[in-house]
Amino acid sequence: MSSTPPIQDAAAAQTTVQGEQGSVLQVRFDYQPAARLVAVSYRLRNTADAPLAVFDRGNFHAIDTGRQKAGEVGIPTEKTEGEDVELMHGVLPLRRPSPTVPPTPIALRLEPGKEVSARFEYALKGTLAPKRLRWCVGVMRFNETDFDQPHTASQGQLWRASFAVVGKQQMLCTPWFDVAANRFQA
């Protein structure tokens, strides 16, 4: 009988991504190929002079159905193309026809000069072993017209976002992570 080592014992790789809207994202991947489990630890710093909206807190439907606790990092969307897997936290366009209960996005408001640190684990779907992985998170300048219903959580203020933010968010994506080499590609 074999056992899978804990995620903290897995080899890790780190990278930094500079955003266009005054954000710096530092990311660490811990990937366990046998378990198909990726742990993503990250720190996002707002270097701009205005607040940022960070779309990593999921949606109200996931909270209402018990799939997620309010204030925690949401479940990422997984997109697979061939042997490449992309995980994403961001606002997706509303499906047509619109669902009865839409997945209304939640954003964390990140004030100028502040940072947020978080971690999530995700078990990849399917059985195909990926050759490359990457993670993306949506951010945008915070404005009062696209957000409402603020409430306070341990990481800061959470706001309900409108689906109008889909075209306004910038996706901060890590470089591709080469699974075999256990490092981010340049």
Side-chain angles (χ1 to χ4, degrees):
M1 183 171 154
S2 66
S3 65
T4 303
I7 195 76
Q8 60 267 26
D9 292 341
Q14 298 181 33
T15 190
T16 300
V17 178
Q18 179 73 46
E20 296 171 7
Q21 299 187 13
S23 54
V24 177
L25 178 65
Q26 295 175 311
V27 182
R28 175 186 166 112
F29 272 18
D30 292 306
Y31 180 63
Q32 291 184 335
R36 298 180 48 75
L37 184 68
V38 62
V40 179
S41 302
Y42 60 98
R43 182 172 50 213
L44 179 65
R45 187 172 52 249
N46 182 356
T47 59
D49 57 359
L52 289 175
V54 182
F55 298 104
D56 64 347
R57 301 298 149 154
N59 64 72
F60 277 103
H61 182 67
I63 293 168
D64 286 344
T65 59
R67 292 179 44 218
Q68 173 188 340
K69 290 183 181 179
E72 291 184 356
V73 174
I75 301 164
T77 302
E78 179 180 338
K79 178 181 168 186
T80 302
E81 287 189 21
E83 295 174 318
D84 292 341
V85 176
E86 180 180 78
L87 302 177
M88 185 191 79
H89 283 107
V91 182
L92 298 174
L94 190 57
R95 298 191 321 248
R96 299 281 182 218
S98 180
T100 305
V101 181
T104 306
I106 300 172
L108 175 71
R109 180 179 166 137
L110 188 59
E111 297 298 329
K114 301 292 183 181
E115 66 180 39
V116 62
S117 297
R119 182 179 192 279
F120 68 92
E121 290 183 358
Y122 183 79
L124 300 178
K125 298 173 184 173
T127 58
L128 181 66
K131 286 192 175 180
R132 299 188 314 165
L133 298 167
R134 81 173 176 177
W135 172 66
C136 301
V137 62
V139 299
M140 67 176 270
R141 296 270 179 154
F142 187 90
N143 64 62
E144 297 286 335
T145 58
D146 290 322
F147 300 92
D148 65 7
Q149 297 186 7
H151 59 281
T152 303
S154 61
Q155 293 281 3
Q157 268 194 339
L158 300 178
W159 292 71
R160 184 176 75 167
S162 75
F163 285 96
V165 301
V166 170
K168 299 175 185 178
Q169 69 184 331
Q170 174 197 5
M171 297 308 296
L172 293 177
C173 297
T174 65
W176 285 102
F177 175 77
D178 184 314
V179 171
N182 195 46
R183 64 178 166 82
F184 287 99
Q185 299 173 336

